Structure formats: C-alpha cells, structure tokens
Amino acid sequence: MKLPSFSLPTTTLPAALLAGALLTGTMAGTAAPAHASTMNSVHTAAGISSQYHLYDDGVDRSKSVGVVFYFDGDGQYYAQRPSTSVLRTMAARAAAKNMILVVPVAPANRSWTSNSEVVGDWFRALAARIVAEQRIDATRVHLAGYSGGAEFISTEVLSDRAGWIRGGGSTLIGGGGVYNGRLESTPDAALKATDPTWYVGSLDSYGATQPSTWSALEAAGKGAAAYQKAGFAKADRVVMPGLHHTNYDLADLVGDDVDRLYTGAAPKPQTVSPAGNDVVNGYQLTGAIGRAWAARGGTAWATPVSAEYASGHGSVYQRFAGADGRDKALYWSRTTGTRVVDYGGSIGKKFAAGGYASSYGAPLTDEQRAADGGAYQLFDASGKRTKILWSARTGSNAVKEYGAIGRQWAALGHERGLGYPTGDEFSTPSGVAQNYTGGRIEWNATTRAVTVSRG
C-alpha cells in the first residue's frame, strides 16, 4: 500500500560499486562463514539503520548457495519476532534448496512503502553485503514479500536497479502493485528471464485491509500486467479462491515457489489454503493468545474473526466472536500476559471508545466483579495504570491511577472509599477534578495541591 512518506537523510550509493559487489559475490578479505545464523543484526546505509535476521541452518557451504529475501508486511509482525514458526519453516524450506533466508526489518515506522526510494537504497546496500559476505550465487536470488513487503518488491526492489539479480524469481503475496504502469529501471535479459508470481486471495479486495480503498486483488493484477508489459514472460497472477488478507500460509507459499523454481518439480498452485491444527475459521491461533484461547474452551468460548495485529504499548491482539454473541479480543504484552476485553460489555465499550490499547494500554487483568455488585478492569500503558470501573448507577468511567487524583482516590480505599467515578477527569478553572459517588477530588495546577470533598 502506498502511504505518506517520511523524511530520512540519504546518501547516494555509487551504482558501479554496488553492482560490482553484487555481481561478483565477493568482498576483499571476506571468507565465506561456516555458519552465520544471526538475529537482530544491524545494517546502516543511506542514512538508515535497521535490523535483519539471517538463517542458514542446514546450508551446505561446499555447494552453490542461494538466498531468499523475505519482506514482511506493514507492522512487521513476523520480522519483529524472528523465532516464530513461520520464519523457521520458511528458513527450513529455503535450506532444503541450499538457500539462506534473510529477513530485513523495515526501518522507522515498520512500513516498506514509506520513503521507499531511500529504503530501497538501504536494502540494495544490504543485499550487496549479504551476497558478498555469504558468497551467494547471483543466479539463485529469490524475493518474497507479503502485503506491504510485496508492494516494496514490485515498486522498488525488482523495479529499480535490479541488474544484480542474475536468475531466480519472486513470490508476491497479498499485494504487489505497479501504479504508473511501468518499472523504474529498464530490466536486462537475465532479469526478465526470472519468474515473478503474484498470489492473492479472491476475497482480498476493497475493505479486506487498511486502507479500505486499497485492493490487494487489484494491486496484484496491476503488478503482473506491468511486468508482463516490461518483458517478464513468466510473470502472472494466481487468484486463490476463498482467501482474504490475513489467512495466507506464508511459509508454504514461499517454500512451494522455492521448490518449484529451483528444482522444476511442480507447477504453480491454483488453490492454496491455510493448513495446520492452529488455523480456525481461516485464522491462525498461535503463541500466548492461541494458548489462552484454547484454555478458555476454544470454539466453545469464541471463534476468531481476525488475525493477530500489533497494538499500543507493545501489545498484540486478536478479535473473536463469542459463543455468547458478544465481540471480544485477547490482548497480550510482555508485562501484562494474555487478557480478554469484552467489547460487548460496558467496560469494553469504554475501552474501545477511549482509543483501545493506544490510549489505555493492554489489559492488566480480566474484568473483575466487586463485592458491591460493580465491576472493574485494570489497563497498563507502559507503566501508567488506568482502572475502568462500572456500576449500575454510574456506568463505566476511568480513573487514572498514575495521576495525582487517581493516587489520592486509591489511597482513600479505591471504590470502597470515595466510591465509583461518575465521570472521567475534567478541567476546572484551577486545574483538574473528578467526581465520585462519595465526593470529589480536585488538583490545583498552580499549587499542585490535592483537595478531597466528601458528600
């Protein structure tokens, strides 16, 4: 997807030097490592510093070594989690064809499509480094990407100054458009002989992702058409019935293409469906969220209606349709563990209306019942704790326990002291105040004094 660009300092890379390093696959004084698997290495070029992960377990260095570069989608869910089974499986499939897997992490805002020209220079420098240090056979270079990563391949990596690729192919999943109808640089014969294939679900159209005005199905069609026009005779689009934007089997799509291209053993798939015991309703259920879902009863508790997505304050979430008919979500973060938010309840609606985890943070507890018949739930925003409370009399309101008013309310005994909040904090001529069923707490911005009024 094309997003607004951000400004980064840039340094022009000497094109001849770049091409020379890539085409020769050597660098002065560099010996091919016997074993080089490493996570979170940092590469700096073109004014950008970002990480990359390299996997080479099972690669025979005495033979010709190829490379698979995988560009993850916007948000970089898997790229931010290099030990996930998806990347490990992808690496194993690559190693079976004696190819290493390299997963660059998109810089800055975790999107490949922001300021892609400069980010493209950063990647080309990284590719030169990888090809040289790892002694890569430039006739066995494979590009793979999902969503925003597929867009980056189609609009930048394969489109601009890609003569360093002497053979191989590309797997573009859920995206990969070319929006001006042409490539940025004229491809040579070796590049045009490679095999780029766009894989897209029949349901991955308008409204399937954000922004809703972007269609992966349409983008894939435009991308394949532009590359065919540019002379890529093998370029085509494979539409997979019933798949939408979040239920592609990324590891097997890439692995199957690697098998096909580097052995010639199988045709392009016509239908690819999610596989494995961790897929329900077309959505993967893995990790801490998957375990929490299973512990709560699996589909007897709720059915997934989305994939996992990154959220505020280092959390991730997945949404579910509850067996009780209410919309829910499981949130996970390192500091809070996995908790549920019931969007069908008053507290969940308050959480959603206030900005979800971006505002309140991830849930620190599940919803709890109070002895007097009320309810509450705690949320943590990077150490700032908010308590959303509900009672039949007041509805749901938030207390900022990290602020002066919230600290005073807690010191008085929480809801057992001054009672439930009747509204959120609000501004006064002298500062900020909050009303409760048993009184009022005011904070003076000038004196920093906190005053409690009962009644």
Side-chain angles (χ1 to χ4, degrees):
M1 288 160 280
K2 287 294 181 186
L3 302 174
S5 62
F6 57 89
S7 298
L8 287 173
T10 181
T11 301
T12 302
L13 300 175
L17 179 62
L18 175 62
L22 288 163
L23 290 175
T24 61
T26 61
M27 183 177 290
T30 300
H35 181 74
S37 287
T38 179
M39 306 297 111
N40 303 313
S41 296
V42 175
H43 176 69
T44 301
I48 295 173
S49 290
S50 193
Q51 295 176 331
Y52 68 94
H53 317 304
L54 189 152
Y55 308 76
D56 77 339
D57 287 337
V59 171
D60 185 350
R61 296 286 182 172
S62 69
K63 300 178 181 179
S64 173
V65 177
V67 62
V68 176
F69 290 103
Y70 174 70
F71 304 89
D72 203 14
D74 292 342
Q76 299 286 279
Y77 180 83
Y78 292 113
Q80 296 286 338
R81 297 164 176 80
S83 297
T84 57
S85 61
V86 168
L87 294 184
R88 293 292 184 186
T89 300
M90 200 179 293
R93 297 291 298 272
K97 301 305 171 190
N98 218 47
M99 305 174 80
I100 65 172
L101 173 68
V102 177
V103 182
V105 180
N109 68 345
R110 299 192 298 180
S111 171
W112 290 113
T113 53
S114 294
N115 204 20
S116 61
E117 290 286 342
V118 177
V119 178
D121 285 344
W122 174 85
F123 169 71
R124 280 181 283 272
L126 173 62
R129 174 180 179 178
I130 295 296
V131 170
E133 290 181 352
Q134 305 299 319
R135 300 291 180 89
I136 298 299
D137 178 353
T139 67
R140 302 180 70 234
V141 175
H142 195 82
L143 307 174
Y146 164 65
S147 192
E151 297 279 288
F152 185 58
I153 292 173
S154 62
T155 61
E156 184 62 29
V157 179
L158 195 58
S159 174
D160 189 14
R161 290 166 283 169
W164 57 277
I165 300 173
R166 301 288 81 198
S170 303
T171 304
L172 300 97
I173 305 167
V178 174
Y179 302 100
N180 58 9
R182 60 182 176 81
L183 279 58
E184 291 194 45
S185 299
T186 301
D188 61 17
L191 188 62
K192 288 191 289 186
T194 64
D195 186 342
T197 303
W198 282 254
Y199 297 97
V200 64
S202 62
L203 304 180
D204 197 356
S205 191
Y206 295 104
T209 186
Q210 294 296 325
S212 60
T213 54
W214 181 80
S215 165
L217 188 64
E218 182 178 289
K222 288 181 177 179
Y227 276 83
Q228 289 168 357
K229 183 179 179 182
F232 287 74
K234 298 177 183 177
D236 64 349
R237 182 183 71 166
V238 175
V239 177
M240 298 175 291
L243 295 188
H244 47 76
H245 199 65
T246 58
N247 64 345
Y248 296 105
D249 190 331
L250 300 174
D252 281 345
L253 273 172
V254 176
D256 288 351
D257 245 12
V258 168
D259 284 351
R260 175 179 63 83
L261 288 171
Y262 303 99
T263 64
K268 293 181 182 181
Q270 297 305 306
T271 302
V272 180
S273 299
N277 296 328
D278 58 353
V279 175
V280 176
N281 196 32
Y283 297 100
Q284 287 190 320
L285 286 153
T286 58
I289 287 180
R291 290 190 296 272
W293 169 81
R296 291 173 182 272
T299 54
W301 174 70
T303 302
V305 295
S306 83
E308 275 192 23
Y309 291 104
S311 192
H313 299 280
S315 65
V316 295
Y317 73 96
Q318 188 165 7
R319 297 190 73 143
F320 297 83
D324 59 2
R326 290 158 71 122
D327 187 17
K328 308 174 189 297
L330 285 170
Y331 280 80
W332 173 90
S333 77
R334 291 185 184 277
T335 56
T336 63
T338 307
R339 309 291 180 182
V340 66
V341 175
D342 182 358
Y343 292 128
S346 180
I347 288 177
K349 290 177 181 177
K350 175 70 174 179
F351 171 76
Y356 298 93
S358 295
S359 176
Y360 293 113
L364 186 61
T365 66
D366 291 340
E367 190 172 308
Q368 305 289 317
R369 288 293 171 186
D372 60 3
Y376 67 89
Q377 189 165 10
L378 296 173
F379 299 86
D380 182 83
S382 302
K384 293 183 176 180
R385 197 166 80 170
T386 298
K387 190 173 189 178
I388 299 180
L389 300 101
W390 171 89
S391 74
R393 174 182 172 185
T394 63
S396 291
N397 299 290
V399 175
K400 299 175 181 178
E401 292 194 333
Y402 59 89
I405 290 176
R407 290 196 300 270
Q408 182 64 59
W409 175 79
L412 293 171
H414 299 269
E415 63 273 18
R416 298 178 301 279
L418 206 59
Y420 287 82
T422 59
D424 292 344
E425 288 187 3
F426 59 93
S427 297
T428 68
S430 59
V432 179
Q434 188 165 21
N435 292 324
Y436 302 86
T437 53
R440 177 186 178 106
I441 301 177
E442 296 185 66
W443 174 78
N444 189 293
T446 302
T447 65
R448 307 288 174 173
V450 178
T451 303
V452 178
S453 305
R454 294 185 179 272

